[in-house]
Amino acid sequence: MLIDAEPLQALVRDIFQAEGCSEAESERIALYLVRANLTGHDSHGVIRVPRYVQWLRDGEFVANQSAEIVSETESTAVVDGRYGFGQSIGPEAVRIGLEKAEKSGVAVVALRHSAHLGRIGEWAEMAAEAGIVSVHFVNVAGSQLVAPFGGVDRRLSTAPFAVGFPMPGRDPVILDFATSAVAEGKVLVAARGGKPLPSGSLIEPDGTLSADPHTLYGPYGEGEAPDYRKGSGAIRAFGEHKGSGLALMCELLAGAFTGSGCAGPGVPRFCNGMLSIYMKPAFFGPPEAYAAEAQRYIAFFKSSRPATAGGEVLVPGEPERRMREKRLREGVPLSDDAWAAICATARSAGVDPSRYPIRSDAA
Ligand code: NAD
């Protein structure tokens, strides 16, 4: 089914408000989840609503928190998210980094203990909109989903990495991906009847490669929330030893260095850590010079002859911008299963989903 972004956002907002989040926080949660769907990252969109609500009720996520500055200098900050929603803590932490980079040229922000930060590209986009280059290493403390290169046992989180490169007067370049072959949310989307996984994304305990979500979740019934703690297999790291190495650095920088904690056992609570580096171009030379060279290079990069007939070389960030335009026009596609789970969560929160003018065309 296809759902218009606006009523979908209103429904999600009302669910979180009914669950005790302030109006402003509920607005932010709804905005960023629907924006993930609009950019094509359904894994980090409204499909997360049932799980977020469950974790809020279980006390894993805490409503209405703001970021606490643990320590700071002119160009550094250690920030504690106190397990507050990433949709509140994330933009606060980015704002701290942007203000410091504006004054000092460079800022490093070590964010610890944030609840799920969602699509990390949001934070790179926010910095790029302010004209600031940013690099983000992220991990998930307490998570255990991904096998390192050469292993079958889960030892890593899906540890995303993002870079935002502003291009004055043009769209920025936004690279943003999980260091696992697929984000866990994409396994969830596949388990809920959405896009199937690429072959070999997962690995069974005996080393057999798989694309079956049951490898990660074990058995789950219809309408039952798949739980990655119940499966015996793992997601594979992307890019063989190189991706596994980048994932390890995300764990070390975002988990150990920030004080948020690394993947695996021994960490009290599930949370995101994020080490972000912010750089203001004017401190490194005339912005027009870097912009002109970057623009020239991107044209050269894109001019590579397509590998397939009718194909095209894209720069990171382009697919998301195109998808946003399309989905704002046509609506957000959701599987019946994902929509049913959101409606069930809404009803359990006392919100009647039939009150929202959802368009329901065949996708
Ligand atoms: P993905 O595999 O879809 O890769 C996305 C990146 O590749 C983007 O930068 C995109 O612009 C670029 N890209 C895609 N197609 C391209 C093409 N044809 N040419 C050039 N570039 C192209 O992303 P993913 O690994 O599935 O991650 C999905 C989302 O999950 C990300 O937003 C990530 O931040 C998020 N995530 C979050 C957490 C968390 O704990 N908060 C954990 C894991 C992942």
Side-chain angles (χ1 to χ4, degrees):
M1 62 194 302
L2 286 170
I3 299 185
D4 285 331
E6 222 174 283
L8 183 60
Q9 203 171 312
L11 171 63
V12 174
R13 178 199 61 209
D14 293 350
I15 293 173
F16 285 96
Q17 221 178 324
E19 290 288 325
C21 295
S22 69
E23 192 180 340
E25 178 159 272
S26 305
E27 290 276 8
R28 283 191 295 271
I29 297 169
L31 171 78
Y32 290 123
L33 289 181
V34 170
R35 277 222 308 229
N37 286 107
L38 287 174
T39 51
H41 293 290
D42 296 331
S43 57
H44 285 66
V46 296
I47 198 168
R48 298 262 166 178
V49 168
R51 199 183 274 180
Y52 275 19
V53 167
Q54 194 53 53
W55 287 349
L56 181 61
R57 289 175 185 170
D58 293 347
E60 293 270 333
F61 285 20
V62 187
N64 309 321
Q65 294 298 298
S66 57
E68 176 197 353
I69 298 188
V70 178
S71 64
E72 65 177 329
T73 67
E74 281 187 0
S75 58
T76 65
V78 177
V79 177
D80 196 317
R82 304 194 290 190
Y83 304 99
F85 274 86
Q87 290 76 11
S88 293
I89 302 299
E92 269 193 87
V94 174
R95 242 173 264 122
I96 292 168
L98 297 183
E99 278 169 23
K100 288 182 185 293
E102 273 298 327
K103 290 188 197 134
S104 305
V106 178
V108 179
V109 177
L111 170 63
R112 57 171 75 148
H113 306 151
S114 171
H116 194 237
L117 284 162
R119 178 182 162 253
I120 305 305
E122 276 291 344
W123 318 127
E125 278 173 6
M126 187 174 159
E129 265 164 38
I132 303 279
V133 176
S134 68
V135 184
H136 309 263
F137 299 89
V138 179
N139 87 321
V140 194
S143 162
Q144 209 170 315
L145 287 168
V146 181
F149 179 70
V152 291
D153 297 319
R154 302 180 187 184
R155 289 293 180 267
L156 297 156
S157 64
T158 53
F161 172 73
V163 180
F165 191 87
M167 302 273 291
R170 310 206 139 221
D171 291 323
V173 181
I174 305 288
L175 177 66
D176 166 35
F177 57 75
T179 51
S180 47
V182 285
E184 188 263 325
K186 290 202 170 146
V187 191
L188 185 64
V189 169
R192 289 223 178 275
K195 194 174 168 196
L197 297 176
S199 70
S201 311
L202 308 179
I203 188 163
E204 294 281 359
D206 66 359
T208 310
L209 301 188
S210 152
D212 178 354
H214 291 95
T215 300
L216 192 70
Y217 298 126
Y220 51 87
E222 209 171 304
E224 198 184 320
D227 182 347
Y228 53 72
R229 287 168 293 199
K230 294 187 180 156
S232 51
I235 310 179
R236 295 173 72 213
F238 89 104
E240 307 298 334
H241 57 291
K242 303 179 193 185
S244 181
L246 181 56
L248 173 64
M249 295 318 290
C250 286
E251 291 292 346
L252 293 175
L253 290 167
F257 187 80
T258 63
S260 199
C262 296
V267 172
R269 212 154 150 185
F270 174 95
C271 63
N272 270 148
M274 176 162 79
L275 184 84
S276 303
I277 303 165
Y278 299 94
M279 293 168 278
K280 184 173 165 74
F283 281 74
F284 298 84
E288 322 72 70
Y290 103 81
E293 175 61 359
Q295 211 163 296
R296 183 201 65 75
Y297 180 68
I298 281 176
F300 176 61
F301 176 93
K302 284 178 70 71
S303 70
S304 178
R305 284 178 302 123
T308 51
E312 184 186 0
V313 174
L314 301 176
V315 294
E318 264 189 307
E320 283 78 8
R321 278 192 293 277
R322 289 184 184 182
M323 188 62 87
R324 192 182 286 134
E325 275 171 32
K326 177 176 156 68
R327 289 190 171 181
L328 276 172
R329 217 174 38 240
E330 296 176 2
V332 169
L334 272 189
S335 71
D336 290 346
D337 195 13
W339 177 238
I342 294 166
C343 290
T345 298
R347 280 186 219 102
S348 75
V351 175
D352 175 6
S354 67
R355 280 199 301 112
Y356 297 79
I358 302 286
R359 181 162 53 113
S360 160
D361 307 339

